[in-house]
Amino acid sequence: MNGKVQRYFAGGNTAKGFFSFYEDVLNDLDRLFILKGGPGTGKSSLMKAVGEKMVQKGLDIEYLYCSSDPDSVDGVIVPAYKVGIVDGTAPHIIEPKAPGVVEEYVNLGVAWDGKVLRNSKKEILSLNKEISATFQEAYEHFAQSLLAHDDLEHIYISNMDFEEANKLTEELITRFYQEDTAPKKSTVGHRFLGAATPKGAVDFIPNLTEGIGKRYFIKGRAGSGKSTMLKKIAKAGEERGFDVEVYHCGFDPNSVDMVIVREKDFAIFDSTAPHEYFPERESDEVVDMYERCITPGTDEKYETEIERATKPYKDKMKEGIASLKKAKELRDQLEAYYIKAMDFEKVEKIQQEVLMEIEQMINHHQ
């Protein structure tokens, strides 16, 4: 039987610039292969190939997707054996804890023809500079979008019943955990719920909540206390010794959009745009924070102000996505120079060596 694949983002293009949870995600590994090499050198393909082999062996894996190209992966982890492979090139620089003991560098640069690349030095340097500036442009648009979002939040915060929000949070905490505790120290993993990508907003909610018995869909507005409630639910799980998965907002990493506690068989997430989902299973449930915690008629009363804040928020988000799309097009051009210079037979050989070492580790532990 094939293993299961869990998909998520560990890094994101956010309103705070590129933001990384890689250190958190990779922290527990006993063995980590860090891939070095330029764009187009086959890093993502190598990780996908190794991941597929593990799945065929019946092992569960985690794919860390790339927010700058959601068709690519930036990492693969085999949790049962605490082993992983990750792209160690910018912007996700991985700081090794014990090089040679835990981490091992794998240099795909040995498979390229330096002479071919040097012939295109001017074009490569120019593209690198333009890509960097385009990402910076995207982050500025997202930062401006967040300012408009803050204005939107303020409208709802000033019409919020905080006492009711606290009451709702306590009700949910009691429902999720009752008096239960786990006789161990909790592990809390931080990831992203989704990401702003060249293809727009992308998330893996259906994949991450697959097999979860009870899913709670939070409905509400900006500033209606969704993130605060989720943080409290996560904290309550941690205090009781349960392992907690905390999924941050791909737009504002200080916000939390989803909490999963697999030991208690529940997932609760912000189910508003851009990651809007609706109940489809009998056990799915809606938690409506607007209805419960916001002064009735707020949408109607502040219609003009809401529209005024929503427009720049959406416009700047679109401009940020357009910049990411442009960066992807430039990166594709850059990749073409490296692809032309690569000996993919050598990459295949490196892939086989990494795979062999991982298989030996697995066999040793069995």
Side-chain angles (χ1 to χ4, degrees):
M1 196 172 77
N2 281 356
K4 290 191 177 77
V5 180
Q6 203 178 89
R7 308 169 199 278
Y8 56 88
F9 294 96
N13 299 303
T14 79
K16 314 281 183 187
F18 182 81
F19 198 96
S20 172
F21 287 116
Y22 276 86
E23 207 170 298
D24 194 84
V25 168
L26 304 170
N27 188 44
D28 200 32
L29 298 183
D30 291 334
R31 196 87 172 92
L32 178 64
F33 296 89
I34 301 173
L35 303 183
K36 292 290 186 183
T41 53
K43 297 187 295 293
S44 177
S45 299
L46 184 152
M47 288 184 276
K48 282 181 179 175
V50 171
E52 280 162 23
K53 284 280 186 192
M54 296 297 110
V55 168
Q56 285 163 16
K57 283 178 174 289
L59 297 172
D60 295 346
I61 65 162
E62 295 173 7
Y63 276 137
L64 282 50
Y65 277 77
C66 173
S67 55
S68 301
D69 176 6
D71 294 324
S72 282
V73 298
D74 279 343
V76 60
I77 295 171
V78 187
Y81 293 97
K82 295 191 173 186
V83 60
I85 311 171
V86 69
D87 180 347
T89 56
H92 25 75
I93 305 300
I94 313 299
E95 285 299 324
K97 291 179 290 187
V101 180
V102 175
E103 298 88 1
E104 183 177 325
Y105 287 101
V106 178
N107 181 18
L108 297 180
V110 297
W112 67 44
D113 184 335
K115 192 179 171 195
V116 173
L117 287 175
R118 283 190 292 276
N119 287 341
S120 307
K121 181 184 174 182
K122 191 179 162 193
E123 292 85 351
I124 288 170
L125 289 174
S126 172
L127 278 167
N128 272 323
K129 194 176 173 186
E130 204 178 341
I131 289 165
S132 185
T134 308
F135 272 114
Q136 204 46 52
E137 204 178 84
Y139 301 146
E140 282 162 18
H141 290 316
F142 291 145
Q144 288 166 341
S145 179
L146 184 59
L147 287 174
H149 193 266
D150 289 346
D151 291 341
L152 193 58
E153 280 192 347
H154 184 71
I155 296 164
Y156 291 103
I157 289 168
S158 56
N159 288 277
M160 176 90 176
D161 184 339
F162 290 100
E163 206 175 298
E164 197 58 39
N166 289 336
K167 200 174 152 194
L168 172 61
T169 304
E170 285 309 314
E171 283 170 19
L172 289 170
I173 287 170
T174 303
R175 190 191 301 187
F176 295 157
Y177 305 112
Q178 284 122 19
E179 298 299 316
D180 299 351
T181 56
K184 60 176 174 59
K185 192 179 186 303
S186 163
T187 61
V188 181
H190 293 271
R191 306 160 171 185
F192 279 108
L193 174 81
T197 81
K199 292 184 170 184
V202 173
D203 69 72
F204 297 109
I205 290 173
N207 169 265
L208 292 165
T209 62
E210 192 184 1
I212 296 276
K214 190 82 179 162
R215 302 189 303 175
Y216 295 83
F217 296 62
I218 308 173
K219 300 294 179 182
R221 309 288 187 274
S224 59
K226 300 186 296 290
S227 174
T228 303
M229 183 170 80
L230 286 166
K231 284 175 183 175
K232 286 178 181 177
I233 290 166
K235 188 75 183 153
E238 184 186 357
E239 285 166 355
R240 287 160 173 78
F242 296 112
D243 295 340
V244 183
E245 294 170 25
V246 180
Y247 293 85
H248 292 252
C249 169
F251 173 54
D252 176 5
N254 295 326
S255 262
V256 171
D257 275 351
M258 178 163 74
V259 171
I260 297 179
V261 181
R262 295 185 190 272
E263 289 157 302
K264 298 304 293 174
D265 206 22
F266 78 84
I268 179 165
F269 59 94
D270 179 344
S271 184
T272 56
H275 32 80
E276 189 170 22
Y277 288 88
F278 297 94
E280 52 186 25
R281 303 180 200 161
E282 222 175 280
S283 57
D284 288 345
E285 197 174 313
V286 169
V287 177
D288 194 331
M289 295 198 76
Y290 179 78
E291 198 178 273
R292 179 90 183 251
C293 308
I294 301 288
T295 307
T298 296
D299 279 351
E300 294 76 16
K301 185 179 176 183
Y302 295 94
E303 190 181 351
T304 309
E305 293 89 333
I306 289 165
E307 211 171 287
R308 199 183 297 137
T310 301
K311 192 181 182 317
Y313 158 61
K314 287 187 172 176
D315 287 350
K316 287 294 170 188
M317 274 301 286
K318 278 180 192 163
E319 286 175 38
I321 297 293
S323 293
L324 290 181
K325 197 175 176 185
K326 185 185 166 191
K328 168 77 170 69
E329 286 162 5
L330 292 166
R331 204 171 162 80
D332 287 347
Q333 289 174 40
L334 183 63
E335 281 189 358
Y337 287 107
Y338 283 86
I339 289 166
K340 202 165 60 178
M342 290 299 289
D343 179 343
F344 285 101
E345 278 183 21
K346 284 185 182 173
V347 176
E348 176 72 27
K349 193 165 174 281
I350 293 167
Q351 181 183 301
Q352 291 308 319
E353 285 167 4
V354 171
L355 186 59
M356 199 185 297
E357 196 169 332
I358 291 173
E359 284 175 335
Q360 281 171 354
M361 272 185 61
I362 290 168
N363 294 335
H364 180 71
H365 281 93
Q366 280 174 343

